[in-house]
Amino acid sequence: MFDTRYLQEEADICIVGAGAAGGVLAKELAEAGMRVVVIEAGPFRDPQKHFASDELAMETLSWEETRIVDGGDPLRLGSNNCGKGVGGGTQHWTAVCLRFHPSDFRTYSEDGVGVDWPLAYEDLEPYYARHERELAVSGPKHFPWGAFHGPYPWPERNPLSSNAEIFQMGCQKLGIDWCVTPLVILTGPFEGRAPCTNRGFCNQGCMPNAKFSTLIVHIPKAIQAGAVVYADATVVEIEMGKDGKAKGVVFVHDGMTYRQKAKIVILSAFVVENPRLLLHSANAQFPNGLANSSGWVGKGIMVHSSDDVYAKFPEEIRFYKGSPVMASTQAFYETNPNRGFVRGYTLHAHGSRPMSMAKGIATTAGIWGRQLRELMLNYNFYGRVTVVGEVLPAPWNRVALHAEETDAHGVPKAHVTFTYGDNDKRLLEHAVKKAEEILAAAGGKPVVRTHDTAHLMGGCRMGKDPATSVVNRDCQTHDIPNLFICDASVFPTSGGGNPTHTVMAIAARTADAIKTKTVRREI
Amino acid sequence: MPVKEGYYTKFDVMQSLPEWDSHTREIVQQRLHGSDTYANLTIIEAEILKSLCQHMTGEERPDVIQYAVTHLDQQSAAAKGESQRKAGTPPLGKLIANGLQAFELSVRGECIVSFLELEAGKQLEIVQKIRQGHYDRHSCWLERNISPNVWFQKLLGIFTEAVYSHPVVWSEIGYAGPAYPRGYVRVGLHDIDPWEAIMDV
Ligand SMILES: Cc1cc2nc3c(=O)[nH]c(=O)nc-3n(C[C@H](O)[C@H](O)[C@H](O)COP(=O)(O)OP(=O)(O)OC[C@H]3O[C@@H](n4cnc5c(N)ncnc54)[C@H](O)[C@@H]3O)c2cc1C
Ligand code: SF4
């Protein structure tokens, strides 16, 4: 049903995108008594009815519209990056819940690369801690790296999947610290939801609701507090007033165009769509796109390098069982001058279902035909380790409007350019070698490496200086006081671990900032 | 019954069908009844694609190949978007159709006859040549603005995702498949639930 309660009025807050950040913002601001409208391009799904335990069918959870990819290392998008629908990427994420390390916020000061954030680890610490409690994060008693050493509020997963057991064996043989991965996946009943049943389909959407997503947690709470969600509604423009402030947004639902007015507009439409909307909404006052006086809108996008190493074992592993990631190491996270590169990475034991394994191997490892089939006949004998490697920001990695092609609504398609830098490449080679060593120490024979990336970030980075950044530390655009951008796109650097815990911490902090500024009438 | 070559010749994942939720059941069952009517492809194109699928994925069972080709046809006809497309590459439907034309012209130029008339060994040789860049500068590809390798990769990706979504292939590789609501109970090394595949002795 299309609930148009706020359509005729001016809402206090209009949030574009109901993903990881949008969900948190909606709940926090609605619970503070604000009149919140969330506009989400994709559907409002019911996990029990609309999810299925099927890889191919559930590709629809992702943003499948065509983006033009370019550069030395063109990105694979779709199921690999972006969600579509209430819950956004959290519908199909793996639920690995890691905090960033303090050094991630100071890469320029510490290593002379990237830029420093206008936030420090300590600014996000209370929000990390709150989410871990509120979302029942399960994890080890002792987490060996970074600033937070546990214990996590909920007990770690037990038993481990076979692939995690192998990872553990390999690490132990080599003397590498490892731990059971912190996950936003229930290890016990919580708020009427049941614990994980190990079916392994986290990336296809969790049917039993054991895995956290904003679809099943934040959005229902936001609605309970009075927020209105327009689903299947694509925002195509941000409307500006003559006073230089945002008036609201224009969106399309079921072929009809509507306008939603709001006192504050927050873009949480992810790394590609935020810059696309800002650039497309250019007008006489903002000819280069909204919030773009610095010229940084769309620039500095980052991924994580995320190659996989498969090793064949003499015995069956069956890595289709259990949530895909259950064991990890961050032993190579911080800069070590002896390694020939700066910054670092996380390694995860990472299970896989047949479709993504076969497709990854066929399309990135150059294995096809009989060789592919023979390799896949041994599906049950493989173990896998996946890299999450830091990638440094560069202005040439960017989202721009495509010069010729437009989408069904007449908005230019996104033109996404990406090329790894030298440090990124050296870091990735080191990580892949370590992954191979771990699998070999556990008794496997590394046979295939597939190329992949994960986790888009950047494109509307936060910073102190309006000349080199798009938003301030509160995610408020430097140029337009009532226009906020809040999600993975505000990351100035990428860190070496999964980013969404940080996305949600930033969103909760931004909600607090908006509440304070509104009370003080600063917006 | 198709011939299996894997370690699990007695395993049939479809025996667990009653244990799956109805949405998953419906999706997987449909794959077993692959249709042979096409939205975009001509019968000849579909036949060429079937042989290409066989060479590219090493899959030989007609039912699985039929499903893969129908899946490709549906993908190229759907309005939902391609997630990403390399700059300079035509949209999927055009890439496949124009690539097929260029492919046939290359084959006829080299072998006089259609790809379908070649014996399997020769067909494979041609597919390998595509992969090795042999046709990259041929005018029939250049005129259509299609890179043979991009075309090959696109077909390979779509065929592979279809083949490894087919329950006959799941059974063959010993993948116990969908598991909602029952889940898996025994997940550690050497632990196997009673409904999982057991290796032939
Ligand atoms: C397969 C996979 C596994 C992952 N696993 C992990 C993990 O284990 N741990 C981790 O930390 N991270 C993981 N991630 C990353 C995680 O999903 C993202 O970091 C996170 O979802 C980003 O949050 P966001 O709020 O920035 O954007 P999203 O969650 O993507 O939300 C953006 C929303 O905006 C909507 N939208 C876009 N444009 C418009 C528009 N014009 N109008 C209206 N709505 C619009 C989209 O439909 C979408 O719902 C994974 C991602 C993938 C793809
Ligand atoms: S493995 Fe657990 S968390 Fe993941 S989808 Fe299955 S039940 Fe949900």
Side-chain angles (χ1 to χ4, degrees), chain A residues 157 185 196-202 205-208 210-211 322-324:
Chain A
R157 290 293 289 280
I185 295 180
C196 172
T197 60
N198 284 311
R199 48 192 273 287
F201 282 89
C202 303
C206 178
M207 298 184 79
K211 184 188 79 169
S323 33

Side-chain angles (χ1 to χ4, degrees), chain A residues 49 51 53-54 64 66-67 69 77 162 165 197 315-316 318 320-321 359 363 369 373 378 380 405, chain B residues 7-8 23-24 31 56 58 81-85 87 153 161 172 174 184 186-187 189-191 196-197:
Chain A
K49 270 200 220 131
F51 290 173
S53 304
D54 189 74
E64 291 182 300
T66 306
R67 278 110 175 220
V69 293
L77 296 168
S162 49
E165 278 190 52
T197 60
E315 59 202 332
E316 288 173 313
R318 298 183 186 246
Y320 53 83
K321 292 190 282 183
K359 196 171 174 187
T363 55
R373 182 164 137 81
N378 294 315
N380 275 344
E405 290 193 41
Chain B
Y7 304 99
Y8 312 96
H23 189 203
T24 305
R31 289 192 187 133
M56 286 183 181
E82 303 171 40
S83 296
Q84 77 280 304
R85 170 161 30 97
Q153 285 286 98
E161 70 185 17
E172 178 181 49
Y184 294 107
R186 296 160 190 84
V187 293
L189 212 47
H190 312 303
D191 292 340
E196 293 183 72

Side-chain angles (χ1 to χ4, degrees), chain B residues 15 20 36 88 120-122 145 151-152 181 195-196:
Chain B
Q15 293 202 332
W20 305 341
D36 55 2
K122 186 69 193 166
N145 195 22
W151 179 76
F152 175 99
W195 52 87
E196 293 183 72

